[in-house]
Amino acid sequence: MSRASAHQLGFLALAILACAGTADGEPEKAPFALVIHGGAGTIRAEDFTAEREAAYRGALTAALDKGSGLLAGGASSLDVVEAVIREMEDDPLFNAGRGAVFTAAGRNELDASIMDGATTLAGGVAGVTRVRHPISAARAVMERTNHVLLAGAGAERFAEAQGLEMVDPEFFWTESRWQSLERAREKESRETAAQAEPFGTVGAVALDRNGRIAAGTSTGGMTNKKHGRIGDSPIIGAGTYANERCGVSATGHGEYFIRFAVAFDICARLRSGELTLEQAADQVIHGVLGEAGGKGGIIALDDAGTPVLIFNTDGMYRGYRVAEGEPVVAIFKND
Ligand code: ASP
């Protein structure tokens, strides 16, 4: 599903339906669309039990249903991106919020960002340890400060002052992520460099009935990351970007996504007018990023609601839903 394929054809049919006028001549409301990811990485069918696979597919479908229902009811893309990501932050299956991976020091340090394509306003938080929903803190930075990015203790004080839900750092602890840290530590003592476990992270891009695009991303970062390390997810232009024509949320090895300003680059290539969104994303993920050794993927939407889901890893938890069409969910490369 990572390249143009059957799902794109299905989407085209839906888009044509969505753009057609109504039978009674009323102008049709703009199509709406939602695309989400739950991280990319070494995600292979043979490593999954049927139950585990079903749990991921169920969680992705539930997130899509929730977001699409809100969009159908006229919610703004910003509200939908925030609501969907909050739900995924609470799900321990994903590396964001509860279920976030651990730093080398055995802590959970969370990063998130959100961007409103219509206004190009944006907000992010980095390295927070007590904010239950980092995506909501990112939105508060965007809407209630003159800044774009707040980090660490300052971000936490701000979130608390805004009345956001604060939790004990223990809230984010899960056994499976702790085991991942133990494995990474063992590996590190055998090899010289730290090797990350499969990437995680959650993201959403929405196009609402008013044609406004928003994008957001939230993560615990990479297992065994150094204390204080900040990845691409809270960095506007790297892990998240949106303008009036395009929205992108990324997942993968953050250092590469920062160096190549991946989310921005995809939207900039689309703006050149010579490429479709799929071609732009393909050039960046398989070309620029892949050639440099960067691993990961993106989800994106253009202003027609075309969903693009591209990655250069074994798999990416992902899904999309266009207008009233069926939700489409996939995990592995050949799903
Ligand atoms: N991009 C995230 C980071 O580098 C990790 C991920 O997507 O899994 O922090």
Side-chain angles (χ1 to χ4, degrees), residues 66-128:
K66 181 182 182 110
S68 310
L70 291 169
L71 285 168
S76 75
S77 51
L78 260 187
D79 283 347
V80 171
V81 165
E82 183 185 2
V84 166
I85 292 181
R86 281 173 69 97
E87 184 147 318
M88 296 175 90
E89 286 175 338
D90 275 344
D91 190 333
L93 286 176
F94 300 112
N95 169 23
R98 181 175 230 164
V101 298
F102 287 92
T103 66
R107 289 155 50 96
N108 302 111
E109 295 180 4
L110 313 175
D111 300 335
S113 65
I114 194 164
M115 185 158 187
D116 179 8
T119 59
T120 61
L121 289 173
V125 291
V128 294

Side-chain angles (χ1 to χ4, degrees), residues 95 111 199-201 219 221-222 229 231-233 250-255:
N95 169 23
D111 300 335
F199 308 118
T201 297
T219 190
M222 292 170 72
R229 177 264 188 186
D232 60 313
S233 307
T251 174
H253 195 151
E255 281 69 9

Side-chain angles (χ1 to χ4, degrees), residues 8 14 16 56 93 95 190 194 202 210 324 331:
Q8 297 284 17
L14 286 169
I16 290 164
Y56 274 103
L93 286 176
N95 169 23
R190 273 186 277 118
V202 304
N210 291 317
E324 315 281 6
I331 300 178

Side-chain angles (χ1 to χ4, degrees), residues 223-308:
T223 298
N224 207 20
K225 67 184 181 181
K226 289 214 187 319
H227 174 73
R229 177 264 188 186
I230 294 172
D232 60 313
S233 307
I235 308 292
I236 296 302
T240 302
Y241 190 75
N243 60 27
E244 77 290 356
R245 292 205 46 208
C246 169
V248 177
S249 168
T251 174
H253 195 151
E255 281 69 9
Y256 288 87
F257 284 74
I258 295 172
R259 284 170 53 205
F260 296 106
V262 164
F264 174 77
D265 191 12
I266 292 170
C267 291
R269 285 171 198 247
L270 178 71
R271 198 189 276 281
S272 74
E274 284 155 23
L275 302 173
T276 63
L277 180 59
E278 172 133 14
Q279 289 167 335
D282 188 64
Q283 284 185 359
V284 175
I285 297 301
H286 293 290
V288 179
L289 193 77
E291 281 161 20
K295 293 275 182 206
I298 60 93
I299 53 163
L301 282 178
D302 63 16
D303 55 0
T306 315
V308 170

Side-chain angles (χ1 to χ4, degrees), residues 11-12 18 51 59 62-63 91 125 158-159 179 181 183 192 214 220 270 280 290 299 327 335:
F11 157 73
L12 271 180
E51 293 75 37
D91 190 333
V125 291
F158 166 74
Q179 296 299 331
L181 175 63
R183 283 197 298 277
T192 44
L270 178 71
I299 53 163
D335 253 341

Side-chain angles (χ1 to χ4, degrees), residues 117-136:
T119 59
T120 61
L121 289 173
V125 291
V128 294
T129 60
R130 295 192 305 117
V131 183
R132 177 167 178 178
H133 293 114
I135 194 68
S136 296

